Amino acid sequence: MLDFPRWKQLFYWFLTLAACVAALPSIASMAGLPWPSALPAPKISLGLDLAGGSHLLLEANADQVVSQRLEVKEEELRAALKKSGKVHFGDISNKGGALSFMVQDAAEVDAAREAIVPLTNGAGLTGKRDWDLTVQDTTRIVLTPTKEGIDGEINRAMDTATEVVRKRIDALGTREPTIIRQGSDRIVVQVPGLKDPAQLKALLGQTAKLEFKLVDENASPTDVAQGIAPPGDEIVPYAEGGQAIAVQRLGGIKGDRLTDAKQGYDQNNQAVVNISFDQQGGEQFARLTSQNVGKRFAIILDGKALSAPAIRSAIMGGSAEISGSFTAQSAGQLAISLRSGALPVDLKVVEERSVGPDLGADSIQKGVVAMGVGTVAVVLFMALTYGRFGLYADAAVLFNVFMILGIMSLLGTTLTLPGIAGFVLTIGTAVDANVLINERVREERKRGRKVFQAVELGYKEASRTIFDANITHIIAGLLMFEFGSGPIKGFAVVLMIGIVTSVFTAVFMTRMWVAGWLRRARPTDLTI
């Protein structure tokens, strides 16, 4: 174990020095020194508690999830009944939070049930279905959402909303935001370095639900002005004011078929958003425009019509242009929102905070002091207790500090206040492995082993205990990272990086240094 070929020595030194060099930009930044712009500059990002930033608590409209689910199921129900070809049915009602319709012939009830049952599914592990199917008054069929189905839909909507929020914030160029669910219908958003939450609120407050629906030209303008929609229609107000319009409630094209959205300019140099559909969406858009030439279709964003142009000819190619009273900034924000996907539910800001960096600067200063004091104390203790072997351990501790910073910089991890605690803890316990090794070497010498044999057995036997102990620490860190919130994740990341680097420096590097000294000096005894 004390045989170190040249390639292994070079490899160990390469890993150590590469990590140390990667730490230099972060160290320069912490010391207030400029870093040459021509050189790569991987840096550690500071969390909200250290760098300051914006904190938002978002709450979802759960009732909206229920109503949207009802609308989607109505379309599925209508399509399934028509596809069966065996059922003659009347209008479908969605009053009272349930779907119901009349079958014209009682003999067709069984055929209707057969067509509808595939639309109901199991709700998780409850053994219940997401919709209850009942027959009332012989010919009335009713689909009622179950509590289990509603809860499952809300949970899926919140998971989707969390990912959409994450994509939108990532598009801003911010690093390492904390985005976690809180309870059943809330999302916590923390963005370090973003001092003004107004931009964040504007981006997250927009649902970005885009729809293309045909305008009902036969609707009475008087009725529409009074909010009375013809059967099968819905009233949609204009985003810029003016008279509302009636559009067909079902059908049309939804924005979930978008593949890209970019801010651009039209021929009049007005800001617009250029959108592209996937293959299926492009085919639907071409079919919608080709079958309705001369009619108008409304471009609806978050329940408000941006425009309602007439279809002059079929629009092929799967691309379109959204125009309105956009500025370059608002068009850019809309493009980000559309690219990230529509929020499945409206999110309302119920708590808003701007965190200043003053507390973070004080925490960093105290953390650096604590780390410095701890490092000095450890260095002195090891040097006085174990002599030369203690000095090797001290060198390993110093390299360990730089390696942790370097690896965190390369991974782009975020340093939080608990992360500083994990850093100090890691430095304080970094010499545990050397203590075990040195004590084992002492024991072997007391048993009469020769110098080389005592050192080799000391490293070999102690390494087993060291690896076993640190594997359990890694497992604990992984569990904290997987199930913990933002601050706990920060602690876990620093802890796991520190465990790996401390084992590398304390075991592998010191063994290489000790082996080199033994080969050169050939000592007959050890002072340890």
Side-chain angles (χ1 to χ4, degrees), residues 309-427:
I311 303 174
R312 302 302 181 189
S313 61
I315 302 176
M316 315 300 288
S319 60
E321 179 183 278
I322 302 175
S323 59
S325 298
F326 293 128
T327 63
Q329 182 179 3
S330 62
Q333 287 184 339
L334 176 58
I336 289 176
S337 299
L338 293 177
R339 282 199 306 271
S340 303
L343 287 169
V345 61
D346 291 340
L347 297 176
K348 178 178 65 176
V349 178
V350 295
E351 182 182 318
E352 172 187 344
R353 292 201 309 268
S354 292
V355 181
D358 298 338
L359 178 62
D362 183 62
S363 299
I364 294 174
Q365 181 181 5
K366 291 182 178 179
V368 171
V369 171
M371 185 180 68
V373 172
T375 301
V376 170
V378 168
V379 166
L380 291 175
F381 171 79
M382 293 298 293
L384 294 175
T385 305
Y386 297 109
R388 174 182 290 274
F389 281 63
L391 293 176
Y392 290 146
D394 291 340
V397 170
L398 295 177
F399 278 117
N400 186 35
V401 172
F402 284 93
M403 290 188 72
I404 293 175
L405 293 174
I407 293 175
M408 290 182 66
S409 299
L410 292 173
L411 295 179
T413 56
T414 298
L415 181 64
T416 61
L417 189 57
I420 291 179
F423 200 104
V424 175
L425 176 64
T426 300
I427 299 304

Side-chain angles (χ1 to χ4, degrees), residues 44-45 52 90 132 156 185 201 203 285 293 399 403 414 517:
I44 298 173
S45 301
D132 283 335
R156 287 189 291 273
D185 60 353
K201 289 170 61 179
L203 192 63
F285 196 68
V293 174
F399 278 117
M403 290 188 72
T414 298
W517 172 70

Side-chain angles (χ1 to χ4, degrees), residues 11-27:
F11 179 66
Y12 284 179
W13 275 116
F14 171 77
L15 291 180
T16 303
L17 296 178
C20 292
V21 169
L24 294 180
S26 295
I27 295 174

Side-chain angles (χ1 to χ4, degrees), residues 1-2 437 440-441 444 453-467 507 511:
M1 291 185 69
L2 295 180
I437 292 170
R440 187 60 189 252
V441 172
E444 296 300 331
Q453 191 176 24
V455 172
E456 184 169 5
L457 286 175
Y459 270 94
K460 181 178 179 180
E461 298 300 326
S463 294
R464 297 175 183 175
T465 303
I466 293 168
F467 290 142
V507 177
R511 188 172 64 189

